[in-house]
Amino acid sequence: MLQHAKRALLGDLAAFSSDPLGFVEERLIGETRPLPVRFANRTVVLVARPDAVQHVLVDAAERYGKSRYQARLRPLLGDGMITASGERWAHARRAARPGLAGDALDKGVDLALPLVAQELARQAAALGRPVEVPELAGRLTMRMAAAAMFHHVMDDETADEVYLASRFLHERITQSMLRFIDFDSVLPTPRRARFHSTIARMNRLAADIARQNGGLLPLLAPLHAQHGPAVTRDEIITLLFAGFETTAQVASWVLYVLACRPDLVAWIRQETAPLLARGGDLEAQALRALKRTRAVVDEVMRLYPSTWWIAREALQDDQLCGLAVARGTPVLIVPWALHRQPDLWDSADAFDPMRFLEGAPVKFAYMPFGVGPRACVGMQLARANVTAIAALLTAAFDLQALSGRYDRLRPVGGVTLAPPVGGLQLSFRLRRQ
Ligand code: HEM
């Protein structure tokens, strides 16, 4: 009876909220058209086909804006590059891009690489103990992102504190997005108070980073005159958040899959061994040559895309691949399902990095970093950091999976992908030659 009433009120939102990944798999895999569903009193269109992705994010991108779901991110991200639109967004993106490409990127990655070496030393001192991979990856990628983008070195205590703060923020924002009515957003609950005090902690971190004004931050100075001083705070928090959670998620699955697949570890060691034998230290430029390691990272991002859904909203009435979409309709693009479409991928469920060495995917069938004008600005940085983590940790250690086979585990579909409920543990062992 209650179930029936819930379903009548919430429509498909009830099933979506209880198991978002299961819901999109069931409804979208094998579906060739955009699919309207009902979330409470709204029609929402789900998309997991290349032609529809191309339409919404590229060809007709000006007809689809960032959706109202983004409003839930604003208390944290303010008016940064992810939440902003129009001239404010375009200006920030133009300003920041050179700091995330070319020589500036290489310089940043070179500053981040010693942090992986520190992690190796830490793990070498405690071989054999169970390690929660998302925690290791979270702290490490956060420090790497801060070093690479802002030339800011976080001490251990700050990294721990900020990592725990971000985990709470991630959970809280996910909750607020999936609830029909989110009381913690409007009533003076303890959770709301904690949310605001955690944001205050992040603001102090942003202020410390801003004071140093390193890395790409001087590039943002021209924005102040036009858009006010909050620009720096908002972009620091946006870049750090957009940058580290997503990267940590990918790094976690890369390490965990490798812990289950010694065949792949042996395969990538063949390309890392000559590089490391030469000088011992890996440099940013050399990472580009690690084609096998990068293919493992690409395959992880196919099956575990951190941004497993991307939200837009129709700014005007439109025809989306034959479906009439009314102005104001939310459109959810779902890489989780797109990356598993059986007609677009051979053995879609199998983990097979070779597919990325043998040929390019169908256009718009693979989009872990989004596509079009709002595609990820940190793509190269993310790839470099994860490649470095995978190459260096597997070169130093054997990895033993402690949470079971990767293909029996399931991440949680939150605002971005989150680790499986039971965690993702492995241990590092002395490498057998
Ligand atoms: C593996 C790691 C990463 C993944 C999977 C990822 C994924 C994405 C995706 C799918 C989008 C497009 C969202 C949309 O269209 O609504 C995006 C946007 C963005 N990403 Fe990333 N990202 C990653 C790492 C990074 C890093 C390291 C940075 C740091 C610079 C970053 C900064 C951003 C920003 C600022 C945007 C908004 C761009 C805009 O709207 O113009 N991301 N990311």
Side-chain angles (χ1 to χ4, degrees), residues 9-341:
L9 180 69
L10 298 180
D12 296 303
L13 187 59
F16 178 78
S17 304
S18 70
D19 178 12
L21 297 179
F23 178 84
V24 295
E25 276 176 10
E26 191 192 311
R27 303 298 289 271
L28 289 176
I29 294 181
E31 174 61 61
T32 56
R33 319 293 315 163
L35 182 75
V37 294
R38 182 165 73 81
F39 283 2
N41 56 350
R42 301 189 67 82
T43 297
V44 174
V45 175
L46 305 180
V47 159
R49 296 299 303 173
D51 54 351
V53 167
Q54 179 174 0
H55 181 83
V56 175
L57 295 182
V58 185
D59 296 347
E62 75 291 348
R63 279 177 246 159
Y64 293 87
K66 290 265 173 156
S67 82
R68 69 193 65 204
Y69 295 107
Q70 300 284 327
R72 305 276 162 100
L73 296 170
R74 272 185 189 270
L76 173 64
L77 303 184
D79 202 21
M81 224 183 297
I82 288 187
T83 38
S85 54
E87 186 47 32
R88 163 73 182 80
W89 159 75
H91 201 171
R93 191 170 167 113
R94 262 198 315 273
R97 273 194 87 143
L100 292 163
D103 290 347
L105 175 74
D106 282 355
K107 184 169 178 208
V109 173
D110 281 336
L111 291 172
L113 285 172
L115 299 170
V116 189
Q118 275 176 24
E119 188 62 44
L120 289 181
R122 199 170 298 141
Q123 296 304 333
L127 287 178
R129 97 196 138 100
V131 174
E132 196 59 62
V133 199
E135 283 185 22
L136 180 158
R139 287 183 175 84
L140 181 55
T141 57
M142 186 175 62
R143 301 176 82 173
M144 291 174 85
M149 292 191 285
F150 312 125
H151 300 184
H152 174 87
V153 178
M154 246 182 232
D155 60 48
D156 287 351
E157 200 183 320
T158 309
D160 281 353
E161 210 184 320
V162 174
Y163 169 74
L164 292 175
S166 347
R167 269 191 40 181
F168 168 71
L169 292 170
H170 188 276
E171 280 163 22
R172 185 60 210 104
I173 292 171
T174 295
Q175 249 174 14
S176 81
M177 282 183 158
L178 292 178
R179 281 179 178 167
F180 180 49
I181 301 173
D182 182 42
F183 291 110
D184 291 315
S185 293
V186 285
L187 299 177
T189 61
R191 211 188 288 265
R192 182 168 195 256
R194 186 173 165 205
F195 184 62
H196 288 287
S197 67
T198 310
I199 289 179
R201 175 65 189 96
M202 301 311 284
N203 291 344
R204 290 198 297 281
L205 172 73
D208 286 346
I209 293 176
R211 249 190 309 280
Q212 287 181 332
N213 199 31
L216 62 73
L217 287 181
L219 298 174
L220 301 181
L223 272 79
H224 295 186
Q226 234 177 310
H227 308 286
V231 161
T232 309
R233 178 266 172 215
D234 290 353
E235 293 301 352
I236 290 174
I237 302 271
T238 294
L239 289 170
L240 208 54
F241 257 79
F244 105 81
E245 274 281 353
T246 44
T247 313
Q249 192 54 35
V250 175
S252 300
W253 284 103
V254 167
L255 291 176
Y256 199 79
V257 170
L258 289 172
C260 297
R261 292 281 303 268
D263 59 317
L264 292 176
V265 172
W267 185 62
I268 66 175
R269 276 177 183 165
Q270 285 168 4
E271 70 174 5
T272 46
L275 267 182
L276 294 172
R278 230 174 283 151
D281 285 339
L282 202 54
E283 288 185 350
Q285 286 211 345
L287 292 171
R288 293 196 191 96
L290 297 178
K291 298 214 168 359
R292 294 178 176 184
T293 317
R294 293 172 77 98
V296 170
V297 175
D298 286 342
E299 180 68 338
V300 161
M301 291 193 293
R302 182 179 74 83
L303 285 172
Y304 309 96
S306 310
T307 311
W308 69 274
W309 63 319
I310 292 177
R312 291 291 187 273
E313 191 167 298
L315 300 176
Q316 58 188 78
D317 292 351
D318 192 30
Q319 282 293 324
L320 168 55
C321 301
L323 180 78
V325 173
R327 176 167 178 253
T329 305
V331 177
L332 301 185
I333 293 147
V334 189
W336 180 271
L338 175 71
H339 291 178
R340 288 173 162 76
Q341 294 290 20

Side-chain angles (χ1 to χ4, degrees), residues 357-420:
L357 297 180
E358 284 164 355
V362 172
K363 208 162 177 205
F364 301 115
Y366 182 64
M367 44 166 303
F369 293 106
V371 288
R374 302 216 58 155
C376 183
V377 283
M379 176 166 78
Q380 294 184 58
L381 173 60
R383 276 191 206 278
N385 282 350
V386 180
T387 305
I389 292 172
L392 290 169
L393 283 168
T394 52
F397 305 119
D398 286 336
L399 276 50
Q400 188 175 26
L402 301 177
S403 301
R405 284 273 309 182
Y406 63 95
D407 41 10
R408 305 232 174 87
L409 296 170
R410 195 144 171 94
V412 174
V415 54
T416 52
L417 221 54

